Amino acid sequence: MIETESGVFLEKTKKDEILTPETKIDKSVKPVLAMSNEKIVIETKTLDFYYNADAHALKNINIHIPDKKVTAFIGPSGCGKSTLLRCFNRMNDLISDAFHTGEILINGVDIYKEGTRLEDLRKQVGMVFQKSNPFPMSIWENVAFGPKVNGINDKDELNEIVESALKQGDLWREVKDRMQNSALDLSGGQQQRLCIARALANKPEIILMDEPASALDPISTGKIEETIEELKKNYTIVIVTHNMQQAARISDYTAFMMLGELIEVDLTKKIFTNPTQKLTEDYITGRFG
Amino acid sequence: MKEKFIQLLEEIKKDLIFIANEVEHNIRQAIKALEKRDIKLAEQVIAHDENIDRMEVQIEENFLSLLALQQPVAIDLRFIVGGLKMNNDLERIGDHAVNIARTVLDIKERPLPDSIKKIPTMKNLACSMLHDIVSAFIHQDAEQAREVCAKDNSVDRLYDEIVKDTIEQVKNDQSLLEQGFAIARVARSLERVGDLATNIGEDVVFMKDAKIIRHRFEK
């Protein structure tokens, strides 16, 4: 086992224990979606990612993620789903020794292309984490923080951005009369929606969500899911979740990963009623994992 | 937890096999009562249907619990959806055994048209469909299920023959009119047994292959 920031990474030998002859991956079925009529926003080509030379976390990932849809990544702990998510906005660059091969394209442009500004990339690709992480400042300051960093100083414009982002994050009605209160006084669910609003304030095109509701109660989870449903009208959403019912409820497409490999991607309805790969079926029906 | 779920699924599967056996037995007993004009046996068939009805309700409740508590997906979800329909179809086959038994009570000792001679053949065909479809269910064998479905045409043909023969015989001897209707009713019940066995076959294909083959939508 190798501990990484995103969880426990399974060593290669473990694979043979999990993959029985019946659950071997049918390589004739390509996991890449054929979505000819949809605009592709994120694309990876033969992507391999290593936490270090001995920890091969992602193996030959080829995936297309369509515009203004919710794509959910599911799979057992250590399968690489969070690692892949973090590839999309180069969050993994923060890990020393980590490296990748292959390509990650956003709107057809390689995000590792020379001259790519990380600030621009992370503005384009917002992220919401498992644990809400509001800044220790007021609600207003939290949401206005990104736009201010990006050079917007006009108070009226900032007010407009904050209001719009909080409305999209479905938090405006609850906080509009206490914008100067500390964000830390909000409930867990409200803090997470604040973090979504904070990401939206930068006007991203893509929102990455890593287990955004795993620490929340069912009512707060429901609100986050409703928010995601609304957001997909304007944003491309990629979500990592351990909650398969949540993936089934909110996503249009589901990708199943295991041991660093992308096993199957398809319409969520197909994955949860009749997956192509036996391995996917065994995982979603709880027969292993 | 998952092991418990799989165990519960296995228990429901056994319950479905049990109710299917009871239903097949009741159909055979109902035809036997008709052949032997055995009023007592016909009454037993009618009485036993209450047990079948109770079993059907119990199985449905068990399925609903699994749906509510385990949130099944994929093959498990298809098994539960298909199993619920199968349970309902089996109960309806049980009702046809009752229809046949009631006919036995209606006609008592009165003479019957010769067309009754084909009823045992039709019963054997319909019951063998039911028997084979339960086997396909036990083994989750979609191929066998399709083969059983294909046999329904033979049951339908036999039904047409019996109705036609009965009409001819009633035309020649109008004193057989009421009994002729009774034989047509029995043949109709057996024809429905074939249809319902076919429905179950379609459910088995759905459980196994996730394909909906009813209404001949499948290409």
Side-chain angles (χ1 to χ4, degrees):
Chain A
M1 297 285 187
I2 298 165
E3 293 279 350
T4 70
E5 195 184 343
S6 60
V8 176
F9 174 70
L10 292 166
E11 286 178 84
K12 197 176 180 182
T13 48
K14 185 82 178 167
K15 183 176 177 180
D16 294 328
E17 292 167 27
I18 294 172
L19 296 181
T20 63
E22 293 75 36
T23 56
K24 291 280 189 228
I25 305 159
D26 180 357
K27 295 284 186 187
S28 67
V29 182
K30 288 195 173 167
V32 186
L33 274 177
M35 294 175 295
S36 54
N37 58 345
E38 287 178 309
K39 182 189 166 198
I40 302 304
V41 175
I42 305 175
E43 182 180 359
T44 65
K45 291 181 183 171
T46 60
L47 175 67
D48 281 65
F49 179 84
Y50 303 77
Y51 279 105
N52 57 54
D54 299 322
H56 192 177
L58 296 176
K59 296 163 192 168
N60 191 28
I61 306 290
N62 295 284
I63 191 168
H64 293 165
I65 293 180
D67 187 29
K68 295 187 178 56
K69 298 277 185 223
V70 179
T71 302
F73 282 84
I74 60 168
S77 295
C79 71
K81 53 192 188 301
S82 290
T83 303
L84 180 59
L85 194 78
R86 287 156 186 264
C87 282
F88 297 149
N89 67 348
R90 291 182 53 177
M91 284 291 279
N92 291 322
D93 289 10
L94 301 170
I95 304 166
S96 58
D97 296 340
F99 62 98
H100 78 282
T101 60
E103 286 178 84
I104 306 162
L105 311 174
I106 290 185
N107 292 325
V109 179
D110 188 342
I111 62 171
Y112 280 91
K113 193 182 72 172
E114 206 175 322
T116 302
R117 290 180 68 232
L118 273 181
E119 303 90 309
D120 292 342
L121 175 68
R122 292 189 186 144
K123 192 175 162 217
Q124 185 185 16
V125 187
M127 191 159 191
V128 177
F129 298 87
Q130 179 175 8
K131 198 161 173 271
S132 55
N133 52 355
F135 302 138
M137 46 181 74
S138 74
I139 295 166
W140 189 93
E141 286 289 348
N142 262 274
V143 184
F145 188 85
K148 279 164 86 175
V149 167
N150 286 305
I152 300 173
N153 291 310
D154 181 81
K155 182 87 175 170
D156 289 341
E157 192 180 350
L158 283 171
N159 278 337
E160 213 170 281
I161 291 170
V162 168
E163 182 177 337
S164 168
L166 285 170
K167 278 180 176 167
Q168 289 181 82
D170 196 22
L171 191 62
W172 174 250
R173 276 176 302 142
E174 293 162 57
V175 301
K176 64 180 180 188
D177 299 324
R178 46 179 175 140
M179 295 294 280
Q180 296 311 319
N181 287 14
S182 167
L184 301 177
D185 291 341
L186 295 172
S187 72
Q190 287 172 327
Q191 286 190 10
Q192 193 62 306
R193 278 180 284 140
L194 178 69
C195 292
I196 293 174
R198 195 174 62 190
L200 296 175
N202 290 323
K203 297 189 170 44
E205 186 181 352
I206 299 161
I207 305 168
L208 309 176
M209 296 185 171
D210 193 352
E211 295 272 6
S214 66
L216 303 179
D217 66 75
I219 293 170
S220 302
T221 298
K223 277 191 172 268
I224 295 281
E225 290 180 5
E226 281 170 25
T227 305
I228 291 171
E229 185 67 29
E230 274 301 306
L231 290 178
K232 78 171 182 183
K233 292 173 186 165
N234 299 308
Y235 305 91
T236 299
I237 296 172
V238 187
I239 181 168
V240 162
T241 177
H242 269 119
N243 182 338
M244 280 185 284
Q245 296 305 322
Q246 183 173 68
R249 280 194 298 269
I250 63 171
S251 69
D252 301 289
Y253 293 97
T254 295
F256 169 57
M257 292 184 69
M258 211 182 94
L259 298 166
E261 288 186 57
L262 182 62
I263 308 297
E264 186 171 357
V265 194
D266 213 323
L267 287 167
T268 296
K269 186 179 156 194
K270 174 86 166 57
I271 292 281
F272 284 94
T273 55
N274 183 27
T276 304
Q277 300 282 0
K278 178 83 170 63
L279 205 53
T280 312
E281 182 156 271
D282 284 353
Y283 179 71
I284 62 170
T285 58
R287 283 174 172 79
F288 78 81
Chain B
M1 281 309 285
K2 202 64 203 177
E3 278 169 20
K4 188 183 162 199
F5 173 61
I6 291 168
Q7 188 191 333
L8 290 171
L9 278 183
E10 280 302 314
E11 279 171 22
I12 288 198
K13 192 172 175 182
K14 282 181 195 155
D15 289 343
L16 280 171
I17 295 165
F18 185 75
I19 190 176
N21 285 338
E22 292 298 300
V23 163
E24 184 188 336
H25 178 71
N26 234 20
I27 288 281
R28 287 185 187 279
Q29 292 297 87
I31 296 295
K32 191 174 169 186
L34 177 69
E35 289 174 301
K36 295 188 177 302
R37 308 296 187 94
D38 188 337
I39 300 291
K40 203 174 162 192
L41 184 56
E43 286 171 346
Q44 283 173 8
V45 167
I46 293 166
H48 189 48
D49 189 56
E50 265 191 43
N51 298 331
I52 292 171
D53 289 349
R54 263 194 289 274
M55 275 184 249
E56 186 231 358
V57 171
Q58 185 59 55
I59 291 171
E60 187 170 307
E61 282 175 357
N62 291 344
F63 269 133
L64 290 178
S65 296
L66 280 183
L67 273 175
L69 304 178
Q70 304 285 345
Q71 289 111 36
V73 293
I75 194 166
D76 298 334
L77 179 63
R78 299 201 305 273
F79 179 84
I80 289 176
V81 171
L84 270 167
K85 292 168 81 179
M86 177 177 171
N87 185 39
N88 186 244
D89 286 339
L90 288 169
E91 189 275 331
R92 286 168 67 200
I93 293 175
D95 288 346
H96 285 291
V98 171
N99 292 345
I100 296 168
R102 287 210 175 110
T103 304
V104 175
L105 299 183
D106 287 346
I107 57 176
K108 297 190 176 74
E109 294 295 326
R110 281 180 285 175
L112 292 171
D114 276 353
S115 54
I116 192 179
K117 287 177 184 161
K118 287 184 178 169
I119 290 288
T121 311
M122 194 174 178
K123 176 250 318 180
N124 286 337
L125 205 52
C127 284
S128 82
M129 278 183 74
L130 182 55
H131 194 84
D132 292 348
I133 215 64
V134 173
S135 166
F137 168 70
I138 292 168
H139 300 107
Q140 290 289 293
D141 185 339
E143 197 47 47
Q144 187 186 8
R146 287 170 195 271
E147 284 167 16
V148 176
C149 292
K151 287 181 185 169
D152 191 39
N153 287 341
S154 307
V155 179
D156 291 348
R157 268 198 300 275
L158 214 43
Y159 169 67
D160 291 341
E161 278 177 32
I162 290 171
V163 170
K164 199 175 154 196
D165 290 355
T166 307
I167 290 169
E168 285 303 314
Q169 286 157 33
V170 169
K171 270 186 193 167
N172 296 334
D173 181 355
Q174 295 199 353
S175 70
L176 292 173
L177 182 63
E178 212 173 310
Q179 298 92 302
F181 269 121
I183 292 303
R185 275 206 306 275
V186 170
R188 174 71 180 156
S189 280
L190 291 175
E191 189 268 333
R192 290 296 299 145
V193 171
D195 287 347
L196 291 164
T198 304
N199 287 359
I200 295 171
E202 291 161 354
D203 295 338
V204 172
V205 173
F206 173 71
M207 288 178 202
K208 184 68 179 58
D209 293 347
K211 287 187 175 147
I212 294 173
I213 61 167
R214 67 178 184 277
H215 312 309
R216 296 176 173 81
F217 283 156
E218 189 189 42
K219 295 278 185 280

